[in-house]
Amino acid sequence: MRTFKLRGLMFAGLLGMSLSTQATAQMWGGDEHIPSLVIAPTEIDIDVPMPISSGNLELMLAQASRGGGLAELKQQAVRSYTQHLHSELARELQQYLEDEEVPLVARDGVLSLHKSLNLKVIKHLSAMKPKGDYDLEQGNVRLTGEFRYTLKNQQGTALREQGVNIDELKIEQKYRVRSYHDGRAANDNTEEAIREALSELVEELVEAMEDTLEADELQEMASL
């Protein structure tokens, strides 16, 4: 009888240790003890050029006269580019963290990543040339601003905080606008150029965070 009780106690102790280990593993993200991570939505403040060029000025003014004010047109552009940044950041970060096998959770993660982006898109006109039946406007769009990210623990303590000077990344894309003399719609790739510049920016920002978000680095910071 005493032997049976002893074996029962030993089994209960081993079971308790096993459950405790499983709970700890779940909290930290698995057998490798990689801490789980919450990615907070990025705070984005972006300023973009008025979406008007020599080729679409009359169209924009006509829309404004029908109640679609120029300010509203700019806000539509801001919302569109902001959504583009959110989508690209989420995709790039998720891909990198999946490669690192970092468990992502919606809440109650061991660590949390917070990001803010203050960005301005500047449009520079470099040339305006007549070309047969159209006028060609050429220039570039350039990005300027600052990006900051902070890694925090569950108590809200900042474990790592760094910034990126976007000016130093020297991100530019060329744009062109063909304005036809016969009234045809202008061929304008400005929006495409801005989106390509924003996508390039996201790649640079995620690359800047990679060392901090490596699995080994996250483990070390979670132990602080």
Side-chain angles (χ1 to χ4, degrees):
M1 181 67 68
R2 292 180 59 187
T3 301
F4 175 79
K5 289 183 178 180
L6 180 59
R7 288 178 177 173
L9 290 172
M10 290 176 62
F11 176 76
L14 290 171
L15 179 60
M17 290 175 62
S18 174
L19 292 174
S20 176
T21 301
Q22 290 177 15
T24 302
Q26 289 175 2
M27 180 184 74
W28 284 80
D31 294 338
E32 298 298 324
H33 302 301
I34 301 176
S36 56
L37 180 67
V38 174
I39 301 179
T42 307
E43 298 177 5
I44 297 177
D45 183 7
I46 180 173
D47 184 22
V48 299
M50 187 69 72
I52 293 178
S53 66
S54 60
N56 63 9
L57 177 59
E58 292 185 4
L59 176 61
M60 294 294 102
L61 291 177
Q63 290 179 349
S65 67
R66 294 195 295 269
L70 296 179
E72 174 58 26
L73 293 174
K74 182 171 181 176
Q75 285 306 308
Q76 290 176 7
V78 167
R79 289 192 291 269
S80 175
Y81 294 134
T82 299
Q83 182 58 48
H84 180 73
L85 284 166
H86 278 301
S87 299
E88 290 290 284
L89 274 168
R91 182 179 60 82
E92 292 284 342
L93 273 174
Q94 182 173 354
Q95 180 177 328
Y96 175 76
L97 292 169
E98 284 181 354
D99 291 342
E100 287 291 307
E101 299 183 350
V102 175
L104 299 177
V105 293
R107 56 190 176 88
D108 299 329
V110 174
L111 300 172
S112 59
L113 177 65
H114 303 261
K115 312 173 298 301
S116 65
L117 176 60
N118 192 312
L119 181 66
K120 185 172 184 178
V121 180
I122 300 175
K123 183 178 179 181
H124 289 290
L125 170 65
S126 60
M128 182 76 76
K129 304 175 183 178
K131 294 279 187 177
D133 63 343
Y134 64 89
D135 293 327
L136 179 62
E137 175 186 340
Q138 293 176 304
N140 61 71
V141 292
R142 180 172 62 86
L143 304 184
T144 181
E146 183 182 30
F147 175 74
R148 300 200 67 81
Y149 65 95
T150 307
L151 203 63
K152 298 182 180 181
N153 60 17
Q154 287 182 320
Q155 290 71 43
T157 303
L159 304 175
R160 180 73 57 82
E161 183 174 4
Q162 293 185 356
V164 176
N165 185 341
I166 295 173
D167 299 61
E168 295 178 354
L169 300 177
K170 301 185 184 303
I171 295 176
E172 292 186 353
Q173 289 288 337
K174 297 184 182 299
Y175 80 89
R176 68 181 184 280
V177 182
R178 291 182 179 180
S179 304
Y180 294 95
H181 300 159
D182 60 7
R184 279 180 289 166
N187 186 334
D188 184 351
N189 77 332
T190 305
E191 180 178 349
E192 178 184 351
I194 293 176
R195 287 180 178 272
E196 288 179 357
L198 296 180
S199 295
E200 181 181 348
L201 172 65
V202 168
E203 292 179 2
E204 293 282 357
L205 296 181
V206 172
E207 184 176 340
M209 292 187 285
E210 283 182 357
D211 288 345
T212 300
L213 298 178
E214 288 181 350
D216 292 344
E217 190 70 14
L218 294 177
Q219 291 172 344
E220 181 177 339
M221 281 187 283
S223 66
L224 296 177

